[in-house]
Amino acid sequence: MRAGDLVGITRASIGVPAGTLGLILSSHISVGDGGEKIYTVQLVGNKAVHAAVGRERRYLARDLEIVK
């Protein structure tokens, strides 16, 4: 995955249900154990349905899947 990819969120979290779409803005490698990649994602969709739309959130690679 890289910046500019459209992704689906596979793990629900507070205010963001599973299946929400987002656009990857950037990626970073965590400093802690394992050095996992962390992606900054801007959520997209209908603001009337999702209060978090337009906000940036961070996700691990295992919580995202690329939308083709």
Side-chain angles (χ1 to χ4, degrees), residues 1 28 36 40 44 57:
M1 286 184 269
H28 310 278
E36 290 190 78
T40 303
V44 297
R57 297 195 101 177

Side-chain angles (χ1 to χ4, degrees), residues 10-34:
T10 60
R11 183 182 54 91
S13 59
I14 295 174
V16 183
T20 300
L21 297 177
L23 182 68
I24 295 179
L25 300 177
S26 61
S27 64
H28 310 278
I29 297 177
S30 68
V31 201
D33 296 332

